[in-house]
Amino acid sequence: LEDLTPDRELKLRIDLGRAQEKAGNAAGAVAMYRRALAVKGAKIRPKTRALVHRRLGGAFDRLGKFPQAEKE
């Protein structure tokens, strides 16, 4: 991952989060989405940030963590 630009790392983390969701691993999806939001130097467009928060909220919901889901 050290060779990736911040923007490519952001996209990769989002894609990995989606893959975790499809595999039924909501906890893994939460981890990837949080890491996506934490990528330093990435230019996260508002639309992309909203998408990640929406997916993060859905993953929390599937985990039964409703207060965290509502915050997203």
Side-chain angles (χ1 to χ4, degrees):
L1 289 176
E2 56 274 350
D3 293 337
L4 294 176
T5 65
D7 292 334
R8 285 191 161 208
E9 183 181 349
L10 169 67
K11 183 180 180 338
L12 175 66
R13 298 286 182 198
I14 293 169
D15 289 345
L16 289 171
R18 287 179 178 165
Q20 292 294 319
E21 281 188 273
K22 285 184 180 182
N25 183 0
V30 165
M32 283 299 114
Y33 293 141
R34 282 186 166 166
R35 289 177 77 179
L37 292 171
V39 173
K40 296 201 184 297
K43 297 173 186 152
I44 305 177
R45 297 180 310 171
K47 183 178 177 181
T48 301
R49 184 177 298 280
L51 169 76
V52 174
H53 279 287
R54 187 169 55 247
R55 290 190 172 278
L56 190 53
F60 275 128
D61 184 62
R62 282 184 287 290
L63 289 170
K65 296 184 176 184
F66 304 115
Q68 292 95 326
E70 288 179 354
K71 289 178 184 177
E72 295 303 327

